[in-house]
Amino acid sequence: MAIFKRMSLKQGNTTRTNAAELSLRASIYPLCLVTILFFLWGFSYGLLDTLNKHFQVSLGINRARSAGLQAAYFGAYPLASLGHANWILRHYGFKPVFIWGLCLYGVGALVAWPCILHRSFGGFCAAIFIIGNGLGSLETAANPYITICGPPRYAELRINISQAFNGVGTVIAPVLGSYVFFKNTESGANASLTNVQWVSPIPEITDADMAFQAEETHAGTDNVSFWKQYRLFHAAFAQFCYTGAQVAIAGYFINYVTETRPNTSASLAAQFLAGAQGAFAMGRFTGVGIMKFVKPRWVFLFYLTGCIVFISPAITQRGNTGMAMLYITLFFESICFPTIVALGMRGLGKYSKRGSGVIVGGVCGGAIVPPILGAVADMHNSTAIAMSVPLAFFIVAWTYPLCVNFVDYYRIPADRLGEATIGVKNSGNDEEGVRGEPEKVGVEHAESGGVAMGEVGKM
């Protein structure tokens, strides 16, 4: 019986572990493992954008109907993040959610196989819905895990670095799709399935760990009801609007290029999409570099403002100019999603797992906005004009970075965790901070862990 107890997946949420106080060095291994998952759904998402145009061509469906792929994929996210995955996360912890998500992903891939062979768009959408549930489960666990596992002051840097590998996946997928989907072959798309096993001793994080981080930094807001966490719900709404705009632009990028750039085939446009996703990935790495010197909330405001500024000319410009505007827009989109997650979870304490599900649930905007863009494009017979739809959603999402930077109710909890010393100085190994500056250490021993924390200057 003792063996089965040790193998149990259930994790008590009232038990403190050392996961909330991991140093930079100690957090590298588990974060690298979880980052692999970011690449997984980045590849899946990038492939989805290419399939959108492929089904329009091969099945003769219009732009609005082809958005059913995005609707199925992102429509599954709230079912996972607010439903089954969030329940598993709150009752059993992070590792079971990773296993559950990978299992659903595998089932969806198996279902997709016969649907591709029989050219069934409805069946493929059903398979995408299952895959979306799997990836929604992975994202429900992976985003908060990356944010919490390690020193709180570097949460935005960690999640943006991990999400950068998501961007790498979105670059590879359109390149592959341009050679597989848009060539003159009778067989269409071929796929290969791979069994994935996840066995790893990554540290579990409990509600007590997250409450400890919030209390130690005096940034906790979990002393009021979950339903009064208004910053959280604003972040989720911003995520809904932003993700909807991002997915709509990427999903109709190939349509935009083939319509506005003369003599451009769908295959060539898919390769241009890979280039745009490359700009997206580069934007994430660049954003991480800037965040080492500038507070993430300011970087977030600048980047989302850039999205608004550069998507606007894409509505009226054509050819290489219009496409260049979309390239720059994708560059500025890069850090927005993960930074909304990190800032939205600031100070949630014991509500962090539940709150992460709400923010990730905002991804369902990717199921709503693309069909609207597709309908507007069909109405005006112009994808360029329809880019006004994501512009409108970017503007609404912009209210969140404005509040985080200029409203004390938002700004103070974000800054307190951003200046935290937890995990920056560990009594077990004499590390220096990321910037290489020596720190003044005031030792405090936590319960039984003996973790030392130091005083550091403001970021």
Side-chain angles (χ1 to χ4, degrees):
M1 291 298 293
I3 294 175
F4 288 107
K5 284 183 180 179
R6 285 198 302 270
M7 293 175 64
S8 173
L9 290 173
K10 185 131 183 166
Q11 177 73 40
N13 272 319
T14 58
T15 304
R16 273 277 311 280
T17 71
N18 69 343
E21 304 167 76
L22 288 179
S23 65
L24 286 169
R25 186 176 300 168
S27 64
I28 289 175
Y29 175 68
L31 296 183
C32 286
L33 292 177
V34 177
T35 297
I36 295 171
L37 301 178
F38 284 87
F39 176 85
L40 177 70
W41 68 70
F43 183 86
S44 175
Y45 168 57
L47 207 56
L48 193 70
D49 295 332
T50 310
L51 284 169
N52 192 314
K53 177 62 176 177
H54 171 62
F55 281 126
Q56 291 175 32
V57 174
S58 62
L59 301 181
I61 59 178
N62 61 25
R63 284 167 285 206
R65 190 182 173 198
S66 70
L69 288 173
Q70 277 80 9
Y73 183 89
F74 291 100
Y77 266 65
L79 184 62
S81 67
L82 301 176
H84 53 83
N86 195 262
W87 185 88
I88 296 171
L89 179 63
R90 287 187 287 115
H91 289 83
Y92 291 92
F94 289 91
K95 285 181 279 189
V97 181
F98 293 144
I99 295 170
W100 172 244
L102 288 169
C103 287
L104 286 177
Y105 185 89
V107 170
L110 287 171
V111 172
W113 180 263
C115 298
I116 292 173
L117 292 179
H118 294 283
R119 300 168 60 85
S120 171
F121 181 70
F124 192 76
C125 285
I128 288 294
F129 182 78
I130 298 172
I131 290 173
N133 268 281
L135 295 177
S137 299
L138 293 174
E139 195 145 9
T140 298
N143 282 308
Y145 191 88
I146 291 286
T147 303
I148 299 162
C149 188
R153 67 185 303 174
Y154 304 123
E156 289 87 357
L157 274 74
R158 285 196 303 275
I159 194 170
N160 274 285
I161 289 172
S162 292
Q163 287 273 8
F165 288 91
N166 174 285
V168 173
T170 62
V171 174
I172 295 173
V175 174
L176 178 64
S178 70
Y179 290 103
V180 174
F181 301 138
F182 296 115
K183 297 302 180 183
N184 295 322
T185 61
E186 293 297 322
S187 57
N190 293 316
S192 62
L193 303 175
T194 303
N195 264 333
V196 178
Q197 292 183 346
W198 184 274
V199 181
S200 175
I202 62 174
E204 189 56 77
I205 301 174
T206 66
D207 287 348
D209 291 321
M210 293 176 281
F212 167 77
Q213 282 191 353
E215 289 166 7
E216 285 295 304
T217 56
H218 306 289
T221 61
D222 58 354
N223 56 340
V224 297
S225 165
F226 175 78
W227 298 107
K228 292 184 179 179
Q229 304 292 330
Y230 302 120
R231 287 183 297 268
L232 167 67
F233 296 113
H234 191 179
F237 179 66
Q239 194 72 283
F240 174 90
C241 296
Y242 163 75
T243 304
Q246 175 196 324
V247 173
I249 292 170
Y252 287 93
F253 182 95
I254 295 176
N255 285 89
Y256 180 93
V257 174
T258 54
E259 291 174 21
T260 62
R261 191 174 185 274
N263 304 316
T264 302
S265 66
S267 177
L268 179 59
Q271 294 177 43
F272 282 132
L273 173 60
Q277 297 290 13
F280 182 89
M282 184 172 64
R284 279 201 171 143
F285 286 111
T286 304
V288 169
I290 297 172
M291 284 181 185
K292 288 186 65 176
F293 307 100
V294 181
K295 287 186 176 180
R297 56 183 173 86
W298 287 114
V299 182
F300 175 37
L301 176 62
F302 176 74
Y303 267 59
L304 191 52
T305 302
C307 293
I308 295 170
V309 169
F310 288 100
I311 189 64
S312 301
I315 300 171
T316 57
Q317 299 301 309
R318 300 292 184 269
N320 288 334
T321 303
M323 186 174 69
M325 294 300 102
L326 291 189
Y327 264 62
I328 300 172
T329 300
L330 263 72
F331 176 91
F332 282 114
E333 285 178 356
S334 55
I335 69 156
C336 295
F337 176 88
T339 309
I340 291 173
V341 173
L343 291 174
M345 290 182 61
R346 290 289 201 193
L348 286 181
K350 65 186 179 184
Y351 297 132
S352 294
K353 290 181 179 178
R354 194 175 178 186
S356 70
V358 174
I359 296 177
V360 174
V363 171
C364 69
I368 305 299
V369 181
I372 298 174
L373 189 154
V376 173
D378 286 335
M379 186 185 307
H380 297 279
N381 196 29
S382 171
T383 303
I385 292 175
M387 287 296 168
S388 57
V389 174
L391 170 63
F393 279 89
F394 275 145
I395 292 172
V396 176
W398 195 50
T399 60
Y400 182 66
L402 287 175
C403 289
V404 169
N405 282 282
F406 300 110
V407 178
D408 289 347
Y409 175 70
Y410 289 75
R411 180 178 54 80
I412 291 174
D415 283 353
R416 281 179 176 169
L417 268 168
E419 295 162 0
T421 62
I422 300 171
V424 175
K425 196 78 176 179
N426 189 295
S427 61
N429 47 61
D430 191 20
E431 295 179 354
E432 289 184 359
V434 164
R435 294 173 181 79
E437 298 174 359
E439 298 175 353
K440 299 176 183 177
V441 181
V443 178
E444 293 179 12
H445 286 276
E447 294 180 354
S448 60
V451 177
M453 292 171 286
E455 293 288 337
V456 298
K458 288 188 177 182
M459 291 178 69

